[in-house]
Amino acid sequence: MNKLIILDNGHGKDTAGKRSPVWTDGSQLFEYEFNRDIVSRISFMLTKEEIKHSILVPEEIDISLTERVRRANELSRAWSGNAILISIHANAGGGTGWEVWTSVGKTKSDQYATILFNEAKKMFPEWKMRSDTSDGDLDKESNFTILAKTTCPAVLTENFFMDTEKDCRFIMSESGRDKIAKMHVSAIKKMVEME
Ligand SMILES: [Zn+2]
């Protein structure tokens, strides 16, 4: 179990756009708050499980991707490469459901993404699992900076859509957030046990 989990909570209080519409009851979700809340719930549970982890962005403000990658690579180096980065997000663009991303091509990250996907599928049976099986695995692939420039395996989860009301209500709710955090922790437990 000698692995470090790096939890990346993207976006800051000052990041433009990363928010839901204002719903009819006046409620609104800000992605920076959601990402940080999920990361702190995961951190609390990992501490109880005695799984070593680090929160990449303790600040509330937006930290540049270059700096986040620098921090992640420094942590990974300190752990002789035995680190896994998980970046937590809420999706936007008018869809529904859950998805996970890795960098392009076959890497160790694909195995971790598959573990996350299967835990999400189990935790959210009533929700759409958004997958891309064209390349032989379930994750979606893109060379996002945080995935492609990090030296350790890295995955990014998009936890439902903040601009779709049904999804947004779910991720604003206590039970939704609890499930999202628990699902990541079940996956992380499996990841740290691997090889
Ligand atoms: Zn995001």
Side-chain angles (χ1 to χ4, degrees):
M1 291 247 288
N2 214 5
K3 270 191 190 122
L4 178 74
I5 302 297
I6 304 171
L7 300 168
D8 176 39
N9 39 358
H11 317 305
K13 217 177 175 128
D14 49 352
T15 312
K18 303 286 183 182
R19 62 197 63 183
S20 78
V22 179
W23 305 113
T24 47
D25 61 357
S27 61
Q28 185 178 27
L29 179 121
F30 289 84
E31 196 189 346
Y32 85 92
E33 179 277 324
F34 170 76
N35 297 344
R36 276 168 184 68
D37 185 45
I38 299 299
V39 161
S40 78
R41 287 167 191 254
I42 294 172
S43 169
F44 182 79
M45 293 182 214
L46 291 183
T47 303
K48 280 208 293 199
E49 299 283 345
E50 298 183 349
I51 294 173
K52 294 274 187 301
H53 61 282
S54 177
I55 296 178
L56 196 63
V57 184
E59 299 93 337
E60 290 259 290
I61 54 159
D62 194 29
I63 298 299
S64 73
L65 278 166
T66 319
E67 170 61 12
R68 278 148 68 195
V69 167
R70 192 198 63 75
R71 288 181 189 180
N73 290 346
E74 189 178 283
L75 284 165
S76 176
R77 202 160 37 238
W79 280 73
S80 312
N82 289 314
I84 306 168
L85 180 135
I86 306 174
S87 189
I88 311 275
H89 292 258
N91 218 337
T96 185
W98 192 95
E99 65 193 26
V100 60
W101 293 77
T102 65
S103 60
V104 177
K106 279 262 155 287
T107 64
K108 190 110 202 192
S109 305
D110 295 310
Q111 288 169 261
Y112 296 134
T114 299
I115 294 176
L116 280 157
F117 188 94
N118 290 333
E119 289 303 314
K121 197 173 168 178
K122 236 191 286 172
M123 186 65 88
F124 312 118
E126 68 281 23
W127 289 90
K128 184 178 164 75
M129 289 294 120
R130 302 163 61 89
S131 54
D132 168 18
T133 51
S134 61
D135 57 349
D137 52 39
L138 296 160
D139 55 77
K140 297 191 168 196
E141 302 195 342
S142 170
N143 282 328
F144 293 139
T145 305
I146 199 74
L147 301 179
K149 304 276 189 231
T150 36
T151 52
C152 61
V155 292
L156 183 150
T157 62
E158 291 280 10
N159 300 278
F160 306 95
F161 283 72
M162 58 186 160
D163 57 353
T164 296
E165 187 163 359
K166 178 175 172 255
D167 286 46
C168 191
R169 297 256 173 235
F170 181 60
I171 66 174
M172 284 193 289
S173 73
E174 173 57 33
S175 73
R177 289 182 176 204
D178 183 56
K179 283 184 177 169
I180 291 167
K182 281 188 176 141
M183 166 257 121
H184 281 83
V185 171
S186 319
I188 290 166
K189 282 162 77 175
K190 295 197 166 123
M191 289 179 197
V192 295
E193 278 158 17
M194 265 172 68
E195 150 276 353

